[in-house]
């Protein structure tokens, strides 16, 4: 039996035939997976007669996170497109195979709808759903939609989007809804004093959280270590605390720096309770991934965004601008983020705590506390499901 056939057989054994099924796609970063999981969680709790199957690519982080959250995962053989002609041909062939397998999967499971939240499998699955006249919906996390979502949105039943300015891009969809990006409830109920106490931090200290998205950011890490090097050379302690999340990818390359400057900088490979760190810090220096922005809004913090310059269509700059225009954040282009910049900003912001607080309050106004519920309810309505 083929790998596809075996996977399908295993999945069917696991599914409850008395329940209706929804198919969700998910991508390979936390920014893609977390929103889909939040929506799935809402549906699981409020619509127990429905079951959700996640579809993703076999190589990414998604299988691990989805299975850890207790949902079935089905892998389709999708790959990214490359400029290299051989890799491109392979990607086109894989896409075609993936589309055929998506059709078989849909015919076998008869889902009420297919919901695309990103990832390489979104295109084959949504296009297969459209071809088979199954209801289809998308969620766009970023302020500037990717090519794939723009293409798939044509004539789709529903697009949920996250930044007001994105609406116009989806005019070819049958219906659009501004829902925001889902953030777990716990992010909305944090208290700074309590968070500092729980994390063992000084109630009167100044804390700057530096975080480069789920994978980390070399530019941010290097600027922080350069700052530490200067203070060490001057034999002075830093006048503020820096908590640096090095990132899940590549933290080994900083082992020597962590050993050398670990007494000046609080270094972590990956932070698992981000909500507490957001709450405890005075402000952040971070990439402008969609989920990071949504979480910052939920915790009402001021941030200095350093958009990842190689993100598709520079979408992180568009994300950041939405906050900068609302006077909720500052923007620093990647090539200007240096130790000097960190030092100068520290001096400016430490002298103006009201500004920091005011920007945090502006950020709070950009939060979407009901995003998961709004997306889930829009999907349920679209699916025609009656409880
Ligand atoms: C490099 C790139 O193209 N990244 C994209 C990717 O997001 P990517 O996953 O890189 O970044 P996001 O900001 O969207 O999400 C990061 C997530 O990781 C969590 N986190 C991070 C560090 C840590 O130590 N602990 C931790 O839990 C954050 O709390 C957040 O939930 O998909 C997002 C959504 O489409 C896009 O906006 C980003 O541009």
């Amino acid at each position: 039996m083929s790998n596809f056939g075996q996977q399908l057989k295993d999945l069917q054994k696991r599914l409850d035939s008395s329940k209706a099924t929804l198919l969700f796609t998910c991508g390979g970063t936390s920014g893609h997976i977390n929103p889909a999981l939040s929506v799935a969680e809402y549906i699981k709790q409020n619509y127990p007669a429905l079951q959700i199957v996640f579809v993703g690519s076999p190589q990414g982080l998604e299988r691990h996170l989805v299975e850890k959250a207790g949902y079935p995962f089905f892998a389709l053989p999708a790959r990214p497109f490359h400029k290299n002609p051989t890799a491109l041909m392979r990607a086109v062939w894989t896409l075609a195979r993936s589309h055929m397998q998506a059709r078989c999967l849909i015919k076998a499971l008869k889902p009420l709808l297919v919901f695309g939240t990103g990832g390489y499998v979104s295109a084959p699955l949504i296009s297969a759903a459209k071809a088979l006249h199954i209801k289809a919906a998308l969620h766009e996390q970023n302020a500037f939609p990717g090519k794939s979502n723009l293409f798939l949105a044509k004539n789709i039943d529903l697009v949920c989007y996250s930044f007001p300015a994105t609406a116009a891009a989806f005019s070819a969809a049958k219906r659009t809804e501004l829902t925001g990006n889902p953030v777990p409830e716990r992010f909305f109920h944090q208290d700074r004093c309590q968070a500092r106490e729980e994390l063992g931090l000084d109630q009167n200290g100044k804390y700057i959280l530096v975080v480069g998205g789920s994978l980390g950011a070399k530019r941010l890490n290097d600027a922080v270590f350069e700052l530490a090097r200067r203070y060490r050379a001057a034999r002075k302690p830093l006048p503020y605390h820096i908590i640096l999340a090095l990132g899940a990818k590549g933290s080994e390359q900083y082992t020597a720096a962590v050993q050398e400057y670990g007494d000046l900088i609080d270094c972590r490979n990956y932070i698992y309770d981000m909500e507490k760190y957001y709450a405890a810090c005075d402000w952040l220096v971070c990439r402008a991934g969609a989920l990071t922005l949504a979480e910052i809004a939920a915790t009402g913090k001021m941030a200095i965004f350093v958009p990842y310059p190689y993100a598709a269509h520079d979408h992180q700059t568009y994300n950041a601008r939405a906050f900068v225009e609302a006077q909720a954040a500052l923007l620093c282009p990647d090539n200007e983020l240096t130790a000097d910049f960190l030092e100068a900003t520290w001096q400016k912001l430490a002298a103006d705590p009201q500004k920091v607080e005011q920007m945090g309050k502006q950020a709070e106004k950009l939060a979407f506390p009901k995003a998961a519920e709004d997306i889930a309810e829009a999907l349920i309505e679209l699916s025609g499901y009656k409880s």
Side-chain angles (χ1 to χ4, degrees), residues 95-209:
L95 184 68
R97 249 182 80 214
S98 203
H99 177 85
M100 291 318 294
Q101 293 191 359
R103 287 177 83 116
C104 294
L105 182 67
I106 290 173
K107 281 184 186 163
L109 300 185
K110 301 186 179 53
L112 294 183
L113 66 74
V114 170
F115 179 44
T117 66
Y120 305 126
V121 300
S122 230
L125 202 70
I126 298 274
S127 56
K130 282 179 170 177
L132 295 168
H133 305 291
I134 297 289
K135 299 277 186 205
L138 276 178
H139 178 241
E140 174 58 61
Q141 291 108 25
N142 295 296
F144 193 101
K147 268 191 203 140
S148 167
N149 269 5
L150 282 178
F151 172 75
L152 294 171
K154 281 184 195 143
N155 220 19
I156 199 166
D157 298 294
L158 170 69
V159 173
C160 299
Y161 61 98
S162 309
F163 292 83
T166 321
F170 292 120
S171 54
K174 290 183 192 159
R175 184 179 147 206
T176 56
E177 203 152 311
L178 175 62
T179 55
N181 275 308
V183 166
E185 187 77 15
R186 62 182 190 279
F187 281 82
F188 290 91
H189 308 291
Q190 290 298 318
D191 173 73
R192 175 183 150 124
C193 290
Q194 199 185 330
R196 285 193 174 194
E197 197 179 316
E198 283 174 22
L199 297 173
L201 306 179
D202 175 4
Q203 292 292 351
N204 300 314
K206 279 262 176 255
Y207 286 89
I208 302 169
L209 177 63

Side-chain angles (χ1 to χ4, degrees), residues 29-32 34 141-142 187 211 213-215 245 269-272 274 278 288-292 295 308 311 315-316 319:
T29 71
S30 311
H32 287 125
N34 293 352
Q141 291 108 25
N142 295 296
F187 281 82
V211 48
S214 51
L215 302 179
N269 286 350
Y270 193 82
I271 297 175
Y272 287 91
M274 280 301 280
Y278 286 131
L291 260 281
T292 300
E295 292 164 358
Y308 176 57
H315 68 248
Q316 290 202 354
N319 291 348

